[in-house]
Coordinates of all heavy atoms in Angstrom, one line a residue:
M656 N 84.3 108.5 83.1 CA 83.4 109.6 83.7 C 84.0 110.0 85.1 O 84.3 109.1 85.9 CB 82.0 109.0 83.8 CG 81.0 110.0 84.3 SD 79.4 109.3 84.2 CE 78.6 110.3 85.4
V657 N 84.1 111.3 85.3 CA 84.5 111.8 86.6 C 83.3 112.0 87.5 O 82.4 112.7 87.0 CB 85.3 113.1 86.4 CG1 85.7 113.7 87.7 CG2 86.6 112.9 85.5
T658 N 83.4 111.6 88.7 CA 82.3 111.7 89.6 C 82.9 112.3 91.0 O 83.9 111.7 91.5 CB 81.6 110.4 89.9 OG1 81.2 109.8 88.7 CG2 80.5 110.5 90.8
K659 N 82.2 113.3 91.5 CA 82.6 113.8 92.8 C 81.6 113.2 93.8 O 80.4 113.2 93.6 CB 82.5 115.3 92.9 CG 83.6 116.0 92.1 CD 83.6 117.5 92.3 CE 84.7 118.2 91.5 NZ 84.7 119.6 91.7
V660 N 82.2 112.7 94.9 CA 81.4 112.0 96.0 C 81.6 112.8 97.3 O 82.8 113.0 97.7 CB 81.8 110.6 96.1 CG1 81.0 109.9 97.2 CG2 81.6 109.8 94.8
L661 N 80.5 113.2 97.9 CA 80.6 113.8 99.3 C 81.0 112.7 100.3 O 80.3 111.6 100.3 CB 79.2 114.4 99.7 CG 79.1 114.9 101.1 CD1 80.0 116.1 101.3 CD2 77.6 115.3 101.3
V662 N 82.1 112.9 101.0 CA 82.5 111.8 101.9 C 82.5 112.3 103.4 O 82.5 111.4 104.3 CB 83.9 111.3 101.6 CG1 83.9 110.6 100.2 CG2 84.9 112.5 101.5
A663 N 82.5 113.5 103.7 CA 82.5 114.0 105.1 C 82.4 115.5 105.1 O 82.4 116.2 104.1 CB 83.8 113.5 105.8
K664 N 82.4 116.0 106.3 CA 82.5 117.5 106.6 C 83.9 117.7 107.3 O 84.3 116.8 108.0 CB 81.4 118.0 107.4 CG 80.1 118.1 106.7 CD 79.1 118.8 107.5 CE 78.9 120.2 106.8 NZ 77.9 121.0 107.4
L665 N 84.5 118.8 107.0 CA 85.8 119.1 107.6 C 85.7 119.0 109.1 O 86.7 118.5 109.8 CB 86.2 120.5 107.2 CG 87.7 120.9 107.4 CD1 88.6 119.9 106.7 CD2 88.0 122.3 106.9
T666 N 84.6 119.4 109.7 CA 84.5 119.3 111.2 C 84.4 117.9 111.7 O 84.5 117.7 112.9 CB 83.3 120.1 111.7 OG1 82.1 119.7 111.0 CG2 83.5 121.6 111.4
D667 N 84.2 116.9 110.8 CA 84.1 115.5 111.2 C 85.5 114.9 111.5 O 85.6 113.8 112.1 CB 83.4 114.7 110.2 CG 82.0 115.0 109.9 OD1 81.4 115.6 110.8 OD2 81.5 114.7 108.8
I668 N 86.5 115.6 111.0 CA 87.9 115.0 111.1 C 88.8 115.9 111.9 O 89.0 117.1 111.6 CB 88.5 114.8 109.7 CG1 87.5 114.0 108.9 CG2 89.8 114.1 109.9 CD1 87.9 113.9 107.4
D669 N 89.3 115.4 113.0 CA 90.3 116.2 113.8 C 91.6 116.5 113.0 O 91.9 115.7 112.1 CB 90.7 115.5 115.1 CG 89.5 115.3 116.1 OD1 88.6 116.2 116.0 OD2 89.5 114.3 116.8
V670 N 92.3 117.6 113.3 CA 93.5 117.9 112.7 C 94.5 116.7 113.0 O 94.5 116.2 114.2 CB 94.1 119.2 113.2 CG1 95.5 119.4 112.7 CG2 93.2 120.3 112.8
L671 N 95.2 116.2 112.0 CA 96.0 115.0 112.1 C 95.2 113.7 112.3 O 95.8 112.7 112.6 CB 97.1 115.1 113.1 CG 98.1 116.3 112.9 CD1 99.2 116.3 114.0 CD2 98.7 116.3 111.6
G672 N 93.9 113.8 112.2 CA 93.1 112.6 112.3 C 92.6 112.1 111.0 O 93.0 112.6 109.9
S673 N 91.8 111.0 111.0 CA 91.3 110.4 109.8 C 89.9 109.9 110.0 O 89.4 109.8 111.1 CB 92.2 109.2 109.4 OG 92.1 108.2 110.3
R674 N 89.3 109.5 108.9 CA 88.0 108.9 108.8 C 88.0 108.0 107.6 O 88.7 108.2 106.7 CB 87.0 110.1 108.7 CG 85.7 109.6 108.1 CD 84.7 110.8 108.2 NE 84.1 110.6 109.4 CZ 82.8 110.8 109.7 NH1 82.1 111.3 108.7 NH2 82.3 110.6 110.8
T675 N 87.2 107.0 107.7 CA 87.1 106.0 106.6 C 85.7 106.0 106.0 O 84.7 106.2 106.7 CB 87.5 104.6 107.0 OG1 86.6 104.1 108.0 CG2 88.9 104.5 107.4
V676 N 85.7 105.8 104.7 CA 84.4 105.7 104.0 C 84.5 104.6 102.9 O 85.7 104.3 102.5 CB 83.9 107.0 103.3 CG1 83.6 108.0 104.3 CG2 85.0 107.5 102.3
Q677 N 83.4 103.9 102.6 CA 83.4 103.0 101.5 C 82.9 103.7 100.2 O 81.9 104.3 100.3 CB 82.5 101.8 101.8 CG 83.0 100.8 102.8 CD 84.1 99.9 102.2 OE1 85.2 100.0 102.6 NE2 83.7 99.1 101.2
V678 N 83.7 103.6 99.2 CA 83.3 104.2 97.9 C 83.6 103.1 96.8 O 84.7 102.7 96.6 CB 84.1 105.5 97.6 CG1 83.7 106.1 96.3 CG2 83.9 106.5 98.7
D679 N 82.5 102.7 96.1 CA 82.7 101.7 95.1 C 83.5 100.5 95.5 O 84.4 100.1 94.9 CB 83.3 102.3 93.8 CG 82.4 103.3 93.1 OD1 81.2 103.3 93.4 OD2 82.9 104.1 92.3
N680 N 83.1 99.9 96.7 CA 83.8 98.7 97.2 C 85.2 99.0 97.6 O 86.0 98.0 97.7 CB 83.6 97.6 96.3 CG 82.2 97.2 96.1 OD1 81.4 97.1 97.0 ND2 81.8 96.9 94.8
T681 N 85.6 100.2 97.7 CA 87.0 100.5 98.1 C 87.0 101.3 99.5 O 86.2 102.2 99.6 CB 87.7 101.4 97.1 OG1 87.7 100.8 95.8 CG2 89.1 101.8 97.5
D682 N 87.8 100.8 100.4 CA 87.9 101.5 101.7 C 88.8 102.6 101.5 O 90.0 102.4 101.2 CB 88.4 100.5 102.8 CG 88.2 100.9 104.2 OD1 87.3 101.7 104.5 OD2 89.0 100.5 105.0
V683 N 88.3 103.9 101.8 CA 89.1 105.1 101.6 C 89.4 105.7 102.9 O 88.5 105.9 103.7 CB 88.4 106.1 100.6 CG1 89.2 107.4 100.4 CG2 88.1 105.4 99.3
A684 N 90.7 106.1 103.1 CA 91.0 106.8 104.3 C 91.2 108.3 104.0 O 91.9 108.6 103.0 CB 92.3 106.3 104.9
I685 N 90.5 109.2 104.8 CA 90.6 110.6 104.5 C 91.3 111.2 105.7 O 90.9 111.0 106.9 CB 89.2 111.2 104.4 CG1 88.4 110.5 103.3 CG2 89.2 112.7 104.2 CD1 86.9 110.5 103.4
F686 N 92.4 112.0 105.4 CA 93.2 112.6 106.5 C 93.1 114.1 106.4 O 93.1 114.7 105.4 CB 94.7 112.2 106.3 CG 94.9 110.7 106.4 CD1 94.9 109.9 105.3 CD2 95.2 110.1 107.6 CE1 95.1 108.5 105.4 CE2 95.4 108.8 107.7 CZ 95.4 108.0 106.6
R687 N 93.1 114.7 107.6 CA 93.2 116.1 107.7 C 94.5 116.5 108.2 O 94.9 116.1 109.3 CB 92.1 116.7 108.7 CG 92.0 118.2 108.7 CD 90.8 118.6 109.5 NE 90.8 120.0 109.7 CZ 90.0 120.6 110.6 NH1 89.1 119.9 111.2 NH2 90.0 121.9 110.7
L688 N 95.3 117.2 107.4 CA 96.7 117.6 107.7 C 96.7 118.8 108.6 O 95.8 119.6 108.7 CB 97.5 117.7 106.5 CG 97.5 116.5 105.5 CD1 98.4 116.7 104.4 CD2 97.8 115.2 106.3
A689 N 97.9 119.1 109.2 CA 98.1 120.2 110.0 C 97.9 121.6 109.3 O 97.5 122.5 109.9 CB 99.5 120.2 110.7
D690 N 98.2 121.6 108.0 CA 98.0 122.8 107.2 C 96.5 123.1 106.8 O 96.2 124.0 106.1 CB 98.9 122.8 106.0 CG 98.6 121.8 105.0 OD1 97.6 121.0 105.1 OD2 99.3 121.7 104.0
G691 N 95.6 122.2 107.2 CA 94.2 122.3 106.9 C 93.8 121.6 105.6 O 92.6 121.5 105.4
S692 N 94.7 121.1 104.9 CA 94.4 120.3 103.7 C 93.9 119.0 104.0 O 94.1 118.5 105.1 CB 95.6 120.2 102.7 OG 96.6 119.5 103.3
V693 N 93.2 118.3 103.1 CA 92.6 117.0 103.3 C 93.2 116.1 102.1 O 93.2 116.5 101.0 CB 91.1 117.1 103.2 CG1 90.5 115.7 103.3 CG2 90.6 117.9 104.4
K694 N 93.6 114.9 102.5 CA 94.1 114.0 101.5 C 93.3 112.7 101.7 O 92.9 112.3 102.8 CB 95.6 113.7 101.7 CG 96.5 114.9 101.6 CD 96.4 115.5 100.3 CE 97.2 116.8 100.2 NZ 96.9 117.6 99.0
A695 N 93.2 111.9 100.5 CA 92.4 110.7 100.6 C 93.2 109.6 99.8 O 93.7 109.9 98.7 CB 91.1 110.8 99.9
V696 N 93.4 108.4 100.4 CA 94.1 107.3 99.8 C 93.3 106.0 100.1 O 92.5 106.0 101.1 CB 95.5 107.2 100.4 CG1 96.4 108.4 100.1 CG2 95.5 106.9 101.9
E697 N 93.6 105.0 99.3 CA 93.1 103.7 99.6 C 93.6 103.3 101.0 O 94.8 103.4 101.3 CB 93.5 102.7 98.6 CG 92.9 101.3 98.8 CD 93.2 100.4 97.6 OE1 94.0 100.7 96.7 OE2 92.6 99.3 97.6
N698 N 92.7 102.8 101.8 CA 93.0 102.5 103.2 C 93.7 101.1 103.4 O 93.3 100.3 104.2 CB 91.7 102.5 104.0 CG 92.0 102.5 105.5 OD1 93.1 102.9 106.0 ND2 91.0 102.1 106.3
K699 N 94.8 100.9 102.6 CA 95.4 99.6 102.6 C 96.9 99.7 102.3 O 97.2 100.1 101.2 CB 94.7 98.7 101.6 CG 95.2 97.3 101.6 CD 94.4 96.5 100.6 CE 94.9 95.1 100.5 NZ 94.1 94.3 99.5
C700 N 97.8 99.5 103.2 CA 99.2 99.5 103.0 C 99.6 98.5 102.0 O 99.1 97.3 102.1 CB 100.0 99.3 104.3 SG 101.8 99.4 104.1
P701 N 100.5 98.8 101.0 CA 100.8 97.8 100.0 C 101.7 96.7 100.5 O 101.9 95.7 99.9 CB 101.6 98.7 98.9 CG 102.1 99.9 99.7 CD 101.1 100.1 100.7
H702 N 102.2 96.8 101.7 CA 103.1 95.8 102.3 C 102.3 94.6 102.9 O 102.4 93.6 102.3 CB 104.0 96.5 103.4 CG 104.8 95.5 104.2 ND1 104.9 95.5 105.5 CD2 105.7 94.6 103.7 CE1 105.8 94.6 105.9 NE2 106.3 94.0 104.8
K703 N 101.5 94.8 103.9 CA 100.8 93.8 104.5 C 99.3 94.1 104.7 O 98.6 93.4 105.4 CB 101.4 93.4 105.9 CG 102.8 92.9 105.8 CD 102.8 91.4 105.5 CE 104.2 90.9 105.6 NZ 104.3 89.5 105.5
G704 N 98.8 95.1 104.0 CA 97.4 95.5 104.1 C 97.0 96.2 105.3 O 95.8 96.3 105.6
G705 N 97.9 96.8 106.1 CA 97.5 97.5 107.3 C 96.6 98.7 107.0 O 96.7 99.3 105.9
R706 N 95.7 98.9 107.9 CA 94.7 100.0 107.7 C 95.4 101.4 108.0 O 95.7 101.7 109.2 CB 93.5 99.8 108.7 CG 92.7 98.6 108.3 CD 91.5 98.4 109.3 NE 90.7 99.6 109.5 CZ 89.7 100.0 108.8 NH1 89.4 99.3 107.7 NH2 89.1 101.1 109.1
L707 N 95.7 102.1 106.9 CA 96.4 103.4 107.1 C 95.7 104.4 107.9 O 96.3 105.2 108.6 CB 96.7 103.9 105.7 CG 97.6 103.1 104.8 CD1 97.7 103.7 103.4 CD2 98.9 102.9 105.4
S708 N 94.3 104.3 108.0 CA 93.6 105.2 108.8 C 93.9 105.1 110.3 O 93.6 106.0 111.1 CB 92.1 105.0 108.6 OG 91.7 103.6 109.0
E709 N 94.5 104.0 110.7 CA 94.9 103.8 112.1 C 96.3 104.2 112.3 O 96.8 104.1 113.4 CB 94.7 102.3 112.4 CG 93.3 101.9 112.3 CD 93.0 100.4 112.5 OE1 94.0 99.7 112.8 OE2 91.9 99.9 112.4
G710 N 97.0 104.7 111.3 CA 98.4 105.1 111.4 C 98.5 106.5 111.9 O 97.6 107.3 112.0
M711 N 99.8 106.9 112.2 CA 100.0 108.3 112.7 C 100.5 109.2 111.5 O 101.3 108.8 110.7 CB 101.2 108.2 113.7 CG 101.4 109.6 114.4 SD 102.6 109.5 115.8 CE 104.1 108.9 115.0
V712 N 99.9 110.4 111.5 CA 100.2 111.3 110.4 C 101.4 112.2 110.9 O 101.4 112.7 112.0 CB 99.0 112.2 110.1 CG1 99.4 113.3 109.1 CG2 97.9 111.4 109.5
C713 N 102.4 112.3 110.0 CA 103.5 113.2 110.3 C 103.8 114.0 109.1 O 104.3 113.4 108.1 CB 104.7 112.3 110.7 SG 106.2 113.2 111.2
G714 N 103.6 115.3 109.1 CA 103.8 116.1 107.9 C 102.7 115.7 106.9 O 101.5 115.8 107.1
T715 N 103.2 115.3 105.7 CA 102.3 114.8 104.6 C 102.4 113.3 104.4 O 102.0 112.8 103.4 CB 102.6 115.6 103.3 OG1 104.0 115.2 102.9 CG2 102.4 117.1 103.4
A716 N 102.8 112.6 105.4 CA 102.9 111.1 105.3 C 102.1 110.5 106.5 O 101.9 111.1 107.5 CB 104.4 110.7 105.4
V717 N 101.7 109.3 106.2 CA 101.1 108.5 107.3 C 102.0 107.2 107.5 O 102.5 106.7 106.5 CB 99.6 108.0 106.9 CG1 99.6 107.2 105.7 CG2 99.0 107.4 108.1
H718 N 102.2 106.8 108.7 CA 102.9 105.7 109.1 C 102.0 104.5 109.3 O 101.1 104.6 110.1 CB 103.7 105.9 110.4 CG 104.8 106.9 110.3 ND1 106.1 106.6 110.4 CD2 104.7 108.3 110.1 CE1 106.8 107.7 110.3 NE2 106.0 108.7 110.1
C719 N 102.2 103.4 108.5 CA 101.4 102.2 108.6 C 101.5 101.7 110.0 O 102.6 101.6 110.6 CB 101.8 101.2 107.6 SG 100.9 99.6 107.8
P720 N 100.4 101.4 110.7 CA 100.4 100.9 112.1 C 101.0 99.5 112.2 O 101.4 99.1 113.3 CB 99.0 100.9 112.5 CG 98.2 100.7 111.2 CD 99.0 101.4 110.2
L721 N 101.2 98.7 111.2 CA 101.7 97.4 111.3 C 103.2 97.3 111.3 O 103.8 96.7 112.2 CB 101.2 96.5 110.1 CG 99.7 96.2 110.1 CD1 99.4 95.2 109.0 CD2 99.3 95.5 111.4
H722 N 103.9 98.0 110.3 CA 105.3 97.9 110.2 C 106.0 99.2 110.0 O 107.1 99.3 109.5 CB 105.7 96.9 109.1 CG 105.2 95.5 109.4 ND1 104.1 95.0 108.8 CD2 105.6 94.5 110.3 CE1 103.9 93.8 109.2 NE2 104.8 93.5 110.1
D723 N 105.3 100.3 110.2 CA 105.8 101.7 110.2 C 106.3 102.1 108.8 O 107.1 103.0 108.7 CB 107.0 101.8 111.2 CG 107.2 103.3 111.6 OD1 106.2 104.0 111.7 OD2 108.4 103.7 111.8
W724 N 105.8 101.5 107.7 CA 106.0 102.0 106.4 C 105.5 103.4 106.3 O 104.4 103.7 106.8 CB 105.4 101.1 105.3 CG 106.2 99.9 105.0 CD1 107.0 99.2 105.8 CD2 106.2 99.3 103.7 NE1 107.5 98.1 105.1 CE2 107.1 98.2 103.8 CE3 105.7 99.6 102.5 CZ2 107.4 97.3 102.7 CZ3 106.0 98.8 101.4 CH2 106.8 97.6 101.5
R725 N 106.1 104.3 105.7 CA 105.7 105.7 105.5 C 105.1 105.9 104.1 O 105.9 105.6 103.1 CB 106.8 106.7 105.8 CG 107.2 106.7 107.3 CD 108.4 107.6 107.5 NE 109.5 107.1 106.8 CZ 110.4 107.9 106.2 NH1 110.3 109.2 106.2 NH2 111.4 107.4 105.5
I726 N 103.9 106.4 104.0 CA 103.3 106.6 102.7 C 103.0 108.1 102.5 O 102.4 108.7 103.4 CB 102.0 105.8 102.6 CG1 102.3 104.3 102.5 CG2 101.2 106.2 101.3 CD1 102.2 103.6 103.8
D727 N 103.4 108.7 101.4 CA 103.2 110.1 101.1 C 101.7 110.2 100.8 O 101.2 109.6 99.8 CB 104.1 110.5 100.0 CG 103.9 112.0 99.7 OD1 102.9 112.4 99.1 OD2 104.9 112.7 100.1
L728 N 101.0 111.1 101.5 CA 99.6 111.2 101.3 C 99.3 112.0 100.0 O 98.1 112.0 99.5 CB 98.9 111.9 102.5 CG 98.9 111.0 103.7 CD1 98.5 111.8 104.9 CD2 98.0 109.8 103.5
K729 N 100.2 112.7 99.4 CA 100.0 113.5 98.2 C 100.1 112.6 97.0 O 99.3 112.6 96.1 CB 101.0 114.7 98.1 CG 100.7 115.7 99.1 CD 101.7 116.9 99.0 CE 101.5 118.0 100.0 NZ 102.5 119.0 99.9
S730 N 101.2 111.8 97.0 CA 101.5 111.0 95.8 C 101.1 109.5 95.9 O 100.9 108.8 94.9 CB 103.0 111.0 95.5 OG 103.7 110.3 96.5
G731 N 100.9 109.0 97.1 CA 100.6 107.6 97.4 C 101.9 106.8 97.4 O 101.8 105.6 97.7
R732 N 103.0 107.3 97.1 CA 104.3 106.6 97.1 C 104.8 106.2 98.5 O 104.7 107.1 99.4 CB 105.4 107.3 96.4 CG 105.1 107.7 94.9 CD 105.2 106.6 93.9 NE 106.5 105.8 94.1 CZ 106.6 104.6 93.7 NH1 105.6 103.9 93.2 NH2 107.7 103.9 93.9
V733 N 105.3 105.0 98.6 CA 106.0 104.6 99.9 C 107.4 105.2 99.9 O 108.1 105.3 98.9 CB 106.0 103.1 99.9 CG1 106.8 102.6 101.1 CG2 104.6 102.5 99.9
H734 N 107.8 105.7 101.1 CA 109.1 106.3 101.3 C 110.1 105.2 101.3 O 109.9 104.1 101.8 CB 109.2 107.1 102.6 CG 108.4 108.3 102.6 ND1 108.7 109.4 103.4 CD2 107.3 108.7 101.9 CE1 107.8 110.4 103.2 NE2 106.9 110.0 102.3
E735 N 111.3 105.5 100.8 CA 112.5 104.6 100.8 C 112.9 104.4 102.2 O 112.7 105.2 103.0 CB 113.6 105.2 100.0 CG 113.3 105.3 98.5 CD 114.5 105.8 97.7 OE1 115.5 106.2 98.3 OE2 114.4 105.9 96.5
P736 N 113.5 103.2 102.5 CA 114.0 102.2 101.6 C 112.9 101.2 101.1 O 113.2 100.3 100.3 CB 115.0 101.5 102.5 CG 114.4 101.5 103.8 CD 113.8 102.9 103.9
D737 N 111.7 101.4 101.6 CA 110.6 100.5 101.2 C 110.1 101.0 99.8 O 110.4 102.0 99.3 CB 109.5 100.5 102.3 CG 110.0 100.1 103.6 OD1 110.6 99.1 103.7 OD2 109.8 100.9 104.6
D738 N 109.2 100.1 99.2 CA 108.8 100.4 97.9 C 107.3 100.0 97.7 O 106.9 99.0 98.2 CB 109.7 99.6 96.9 CG 109.4 100.0 95.4 OD1 109.2 101.2 95.2 OD2 109.3 99.1 94.6
G739 N 106.6 100.8 97.0 CA 105.2 100.5 96.7 C 104.4 101.8 96.5 O 105.0 102.9 96.5
C740 N 103.1 101.6 96.3 CA 102.2 102.8 96.1 C 100.8 102.4 96.5 O 100.4 101.3 96.4 CB 102.3 103.2 94.6 SG 101.6 104.8 94.2
V741 N 100.1 103.4 96.9 CA 98.6 103.3 97.2 C 97.9 104.2 96.3 O 98.4 105.3 95.9 CB 98.2 103.5 98.7 CG1 98.9 102.5 99.6 CG2 98.5 104.9 99.1
K742 N 96.7 103.9 96.0 CA 95.8 104.8 95.1 C 95.5 106.0 95.9 O 95.1 106.0 97.1 CB 94.6 104.0 94.7 CG 93.7 104.8 93.8 CD 92.5 104.0 93.3 CE 91.7 104.8 92.3 NZ 90.6 104.0 91.8
T743 N 95.6 107.2 95.3 CA 95.2 108.4 95.9 C 93.9 109.0 95.2 O 93.6 108.6 94.0 CB 96.3 109.5 95.7 OG1 96.5 109.7 94.3 CG2 97.5 109.1 96.4
F744 N 93.2 109.8 95.8 CA 92.0 110.4 95.3 C 92.1 111.9 95.4 O 92.5 112.4 96.5 CB 90.7 109.9 96.1 CG 90.5 108.4 96.0 CD1 91.1 107.6 97.0 CD2 89.8 107.9 95.0 CE1 91.0 106.3 96.9 CE2 89.6 106.5 95.0 CZ 90.2 105.7 95.9
E745 N 91.7 112.6 94.4 CA 91.7 114.1 94.4 C 90.6 114.5 95.4 O 89.5 114.0 95.5 CB 91.4 114.7 93.1 CG 91.4 116.2 93.0 CD 91.0 116.7 91.6 OE1 91.3 116.0 90.6 OE2 90.5 117.8 91.5
T746 N 90.9 115.5 96.3 CA 90.0 116.0 97.3 C 89.6 117.5 97.0 O 90.4 118.2 96.4 CB 90.5 115.9 98.7 OG1 91.7 116.6 98.8 CG2 90.8 114.4 99.1
E747 N 88.5 117.8 97.5 CA 88.0 119.2 97.4 C 87.2 119.6 98.6 O 86.4 118.8 99.0 CB 87.2 119.4 96.1 CG 86.7 120.8 95.8 CD 85.8 120.8 94.6 OE1 86.1 120.1 93.6 OE2 84.8 121.6 94.6
I748 N 87.4 120.7 99.2 CA 86.6 121.2 100.3 C 85.8 122.4 99.9 O 86.3 123.4 99.4 CB 87.6 121.6 101.5 CG1 88.5 120.5 101.9 CG2 86.7 122.1 102.7 CD1 89.6 120.9 102.9
D749 N 84.5 122.3 100.0 CA 83.6 123.4 99.7 C 83.9 124.5 100.8 O 83.6 124.2 102.0 CB 82.2 123.0 99.7 CG 81.2 124.1 99.4 OD1 81.0 125.0 100.2 OD2 80.7 124.1 98.3
P750 N 84.3 125.7 100.4 CA 84.6 126.7 101.4 C 83.4 127.2 102.2 O 83.6 127.6 103.3 CB 85.3 127.8 100.6 CG 84.9 127.6 99.1 CD 84.6 126.1 99.0
G751 N 82.3 127.1 101.6 CA 81.1 127.6 102.4 C 80.6 126.6 103.4 O 80.3 127.0 104.5
S752 N 80.5 125.4 103.0 CA 79.9 124.4 103.9 C 80.9 123.5 104.6 O 80.5 122.8 105.6 CB 79.0 123.4 103.0 OG 79.8 122.7 102.1
G753 N 82.2 123.5 104.1 CA 83.2 122.6 104.7 C 83.0 121.1 104.3 O 83.6 120.3 104.9
E754 N 82.1 120.9 103.3 CA 82.0 119.5 102.9 C 83.2 119.1 102.1 O 83.7 119.8 101.3 CB 80.7 119.4 102.0 CG 79.4 119.6 102.8 CD 78.2 119.6 101.9 OE1 78.2 120.1 100.8 OE2 77.1 119.2 102.4
I755 N 83.6 117.8 102.3 CA 84.7 117.2 101.6 C 84.2 116.3 100.5 O 83.4 115.4 100.8 CB 85.6 116.4 102.6 CG1 86.1 117.4 103.7 CG2 86.8 115.8 101.9 CD1 86.7 116.6 104.9
Y756 N 84.8 116.5 99.3 CA 84.4 115.6 98.2 C 85.7 114.9 97.7 O 86.8 115.5 97.7 CB 83.9 116.5 97.0 CG 82.5 117.1 97.3 CD1 82.5 118.3 98.0 CD2 81.3 116.5 97.0 CE1 81.3 118.9 98.3 CE2 80.1 117.1 97.3 CZ 80.1 118.3 97.9 OH 78.9 118.9 98.2
I757 N 85.6 113.7 97.2 CA 86.7 113.1 96.5 C 86.2 112.8 95.1 O 85.0 112.6 94.8 CB 87.2 111.8 97.2 CG1 86.1 110.7 97.2 CG2 87.7 112.0 98.5 CD1 86.6 109.3 97.7
T758 N 87.2 112.8 94.2 CA 86.9 112.6 92.7 C 87.3 111.2 92.4 O 88.4 110.7 92.7 CB 87.7 113.6 91.9 OG1 87.3 114.9 92.2 CG2 87.4 113.4 90.4
L759 N 86.3 110.5 91.7 CA 86.6 109.1 91.3 C 86.8 109.2 89.8 O 86.3 109.9 89.1 CB 85.4 108.3 91.6 CG 84.9 108.2 93.0 CD1 83.7 107.3 93.1 CD2 86.0 107.7 93.9

């Protein structure tokens, strides 16, 4: 079953910033990119469990604050030479209200 969950408003997240929410016992990091899009991933680096929400966003990737692993926010894949993946969530922004939804 597909469920959309309201997680924030666009105005709650600065450009290149993040916010975290708990959804079904999963810590989710929501990022607002420079192009205005919003991406959501599990807030846990596959390497040592660093909180991705505390990392720096560069383009469409976030750098893990612990060991600088780069994770693509679109696919969840870790950039080479490192290896791994984080769970991603489909996002949707309501154009009228600016509300951000993720799909579970």
Side-chain angles (χ1 to χ4, degrees):
M656 182 173 157
V657 175
T658 305
K659 287 186 182 181
V660 178
L661 174 64
V662 292
K664 289 191 106 177
L665 196 57
T666 55
D667 294 338
I668 308 171
D669 294 332
V670 174
L671 301 182
S673 68
R674 157 172 270 219
T675 60
V676 294
Q677 282 287 115
V678 180
D679 290 344
N680 297 318
T681 300
D682 194 28
V683 178
I685 304 156
F686 296 91
R687 185 173 175 191
L688 305 184
D690 67 2
S692 65
V693 174
K694 302 297 178 195
V696 299
E697 185 174 7
N698 192 26
K699 185 176 178 183
C700 180
H702 176 226
K703 296 277 185 175
R706 293 178 49 84
L707 297 176
S708 61
E709 296 174 5
M711 184 172 62
V712 175
C713 184
T715 60
V717 62
H718 293 247
C719 176
L721 293 182
H722 299 102
D723 203 36
W724 278 34
R725 292 175 299 141
I726 292 94
D727 185 285
L728 293 170
K729 292 180 180 179
S730 68
R732 299 282 315 151
V733 174
H734 290 205
E735 293 183 354
D737 303 309
D738 187 41
C740 192
V741 297
K742 183 174 183 177
T743 61
F744 300 88
E745 182 181 334
T746 61
E747 181 181 324
I748 303 169
D749 182 287
S752 66
E754 293 175 327
I755 301 167
Y756 295 86
I757 63 172
T758 301
L759 305 178

